[in-house]
Amino acid sequence: MSRHSVTTRDLRTMFDVLDEARHDDGEEFPPRSLLRGLGRLIPCDVAGFDEVDNPTRRYLHLQEELYAGDYGDDPHVEAYWRWRHQHPHCRLADQACGRLPVAQNLDYQSAREIRDQAFYTEYLKPVVNTLFVMLPSAPGRIRTYNFSRETSRRFSERDRLVLEMLRPHLYTVYREAALRRQAPVRLTVRELDVMRAVADGLGTAAIARQFVVAPSTVRKHLENTFRKLGVSSRTAAVARLFPEPEAGT
C-alpha cells in the first residue's frame, strides 16, 4: 500500500465519524461530534470549524477543539481582518465558493515566510501550518474545517486524501443538520418577498422602490420577521430562512 493511500482502519474511522455526526442530536451547529471525530482522523494541535460572512465580517459559526499546546485568549478578530490579505489561501477562498482543493499553509509559503508576516505575529501565532477543507458555500461566505499545528511539520498526503474523500459527506452532514434545526415559521407573502430581496443584497430604500412602498413599511416587515424568527439582524434572518443558498446560483 502506498503512502498516499488510506487504510482499512482509516475507512472504518471515517464511517464511524460520519455516522456519529448524523445521529448527534445536540443543540450545537454543525454537530460538535463531527469536529471531534475529524480531530481523531487528522493529527493536529487544534481542530476548528468556522463559517464567515465576508461582507459583514461576522463569524456565523465558530468551533474549536484543542489537542495540544496553549492557545490562551480568543482569536484577535480585528487582526484577522486587517492582515488576512497576506494569507494566500484566504485570498483564493474569497472567490472559490468552497471549490478549492484541500490545501495547507506550506503549499503557498515557507515556514519562515509565514513567521515573518504580521498575519502570523498578530493573529496566527503560535500556529504555523494549517490544513483546510472547504465546504460549498454561497458567494461571500467561507465555510471551512481546519487542522493546525504549531510546528512547521507538513500534513501528509494521507491526511489530504482523507479530507478530499470526506468533503462531500461533510457537506451532507452540514445540510442535514441545517434542515433539522430549521423549525417551521409562518411568514406573510410580503415578508417572504422582502426577505428574498434582502438575500439578494438589496437595502431598505431599494426594497421600498421594488415593492412601491414606504421605507418605514419595509422596516416594519423586517421587524415582524425578526420577531418571528427570533433573530436580531438581516444576516441572521437570511441564514435562518435560506440556510444553504447554492454556490453559483
Side-chain angles (χ1 to χ4, degrees):
M1 181 172 293
S2 81
R3 63 188 178 90
H4 294 176
S5 300
V6 297
T7 66
T8 301
R9 181 178 179 181
D10 287 332
L11 292 172
R12 282 199 296 264
T13 304
M14 291 161 67
F15 177 84
D16 290 343
V17 166
L18 294 171
D19 187 61
E20 182 180 1
R22 286 197 169 103
H23 291 89
D24 186 340
D25 58 0
E27 294 184 0
E28 195 165 357
F29 175 82
R32 170 70 70 159
S33 60
L34 182 55
L35 180 61
R36 291 172 179 154
L38 293 173
R40 297 198 306 267
L41 272 167
I42 308 298
C44 61
D45 295 329
V46 60
F49 173 82
D50 52 73
E51 183 169 356
V52 180
D53 185 72
N54 280 351
T56 60
R57 296 191 169 189
R58 292 180 62 246
Y59 279 92
L60 303 180
H61 303 289
L62 184 63
Q63 296 175 347
E64 188 174 271
E65 287 289 325
L66 185 63
Y67 297 99
D70 182 8
Y71 284 73
D73 298 332
D74 292 336
H76 300 290
V77 176
E78 290 184 6
Y80 169 79
W81 291 107
R82 184 182 306 118
W83 298 110
R84 72 188 296 275
H85 65 277
Q86 294 183 344
H87 197 300
H89 191 272
C90 288
R91 297 197 301 269
L92 292 170
D94 284 345
Q95 307 299 324
C97 294
R99 295 194 177 103
L100 287 181
V102 174
Q104 56 190 312
N105 286 358
L106 295 177
D107 291 339
Y108 305 105
Q109 298 171 313
S110 69
R112 174 177 294 181
E113 289 172 326
I114 291 169
R115 290 190 177 102
D116 284 344
Q117 293 177 338
F119 191 65
Y120 173 79
T121 57
E122 296 196 24
Y123 178 74
L124 282 179
K125 191 176 181 178
V127 166
V128 175
N129 195 22
T130 300
L131 182 66
F132 306 92
V133 56
M134 298 183 65
L135 305 188
S137 62
R141 293 276 179 91
I142 297 177
R143 184 180 294 142
T144 312
Y145 279 98
N146 48 81
F147 309 87
S148 298
R149 291 173 175 166
E150 295 182 12
T151 70
S152 57
R153 183 165 63 96
R154 293 182 64 90
F155 289 89
S156 69
E157 289 305 311
R158 170 266 182 198
D159 298 334
R160 197 190 302 258
L161 180 57
V162 163
L163 293 178
E164 286 288 9
M165 293 174 65
L166 279 174
R167 189 210 300 255
H169 305 288
L170 300 179
Y171 183 48
T172 297
V173 170
Y174 178 97
R175 294 198 67 182
E176 289 173 349
L179 291 173
R180 285 197 301 270
R181 71 196 291 262
Q182 187 182 12
V185 174
R186 186 180 295 278
L187 299 182
T188 68
V189 172
R190 183 46 56 91
E191 287 166 353
L192 278 172
D193 288 340
V194 167
M195 286 310 306
R196 290 189 183 99
V198 169
D200 288 337
L202 299 184
T204 299
I207 296 172
R209 288 194 298 271
Q210 178 174 320
F211 296 115
V212 196
V213 296
S216 60
T217 301
V218 174
R219 287 191 288 268
K220 188 63 176 178
H221 285 312
L222 291 172
E223 179 184 324
N224 291 337
T225 300
F226 292 175
R227 175 178 51 78
K228 292 177 181 179
L229 296 176
V231 301
S232 58
S233 71
R234 297 183 184 210
T235 300
V238 169
R240 176 76 165 80
L241 282 173
F242 314 113
E244 189 46 48
E246 293 293 339
T249 61

